Amino acid sequence: MRKAEQRLSEEHERASHYLDRTSEPRLREVVERELIATHMRTLAEMPISGVVSMMNDDRTDDLRRAYELFRRVKGQEDGLGVIRHMMSEHVKARGQQVRAFSPPT
């Protein structure tokens, strides 16, 4: 995700130096689609570095980065929807684990 963040920054810098301002929104849309939207589900679901792993390991900086990148994705598959789904499923699974190991009252 750091690489995507860096590439987005580089593209913004290039666009501001070499392209007309009117072409920047379209370029940003294409770059965000190619760097984020195309890979966001794979990135979010990675077992070692995905959203659930970030939550379990208290990697708040990485979660912030994922949020900042994924919130740019709108449309058919909403970026924040992907994060929300992953977190929701994780919380449900953890709740079921806790409930399964709780002594009956």
Side-chain angles (χ1 to χ4, degrees), residues 29-93:
E29 177 186 324
V30 170
V31 170
E32 287 175 357
R33 182 179 61 236
E34 293 302 316
L35 291 178
I36 304 168
T38 305
H39 306 286
M40 74 180 168
R41 186 160 296 281
T42 303
L43 290 170
E45 293 175 349
M46 294 179 101
I48 295 175
S49 61
V51 171
V52 172
S53 176
M54 290 178 206
M55 287 174 51
N56 287 338
D57 297 338
D58 292 325
R59 295 191 330 236
T60 54
D61 287 339
D62 290 338
L63 281 168
R64 180 199 51 79
R65 184 174 288 109
Y67 174 84
E68 291 297 326
L69 289 173
F70 286 23
R71 77 184 180 106
R72 297 173 182 221
V73 179
K74 306 285 189 227
Q76 192 171 2
E77 188 171 35
D78 177 45
L80 292 181
V82 170
I83 292 177
R84 187 172 37 256
H85 175 74
M86 297 291 298
M87 289 182 165
S88 174
E89 292 300 312
H90 174 68
V91 169
K92 286 178 193 175

Side-chain angles (χ1 to χ4, degrees), residues 6 17 19 27 48 91:
Q6 180 181 353
H17 283 96
L19 299 175
L27 176 64
I48 295 175
V91 169

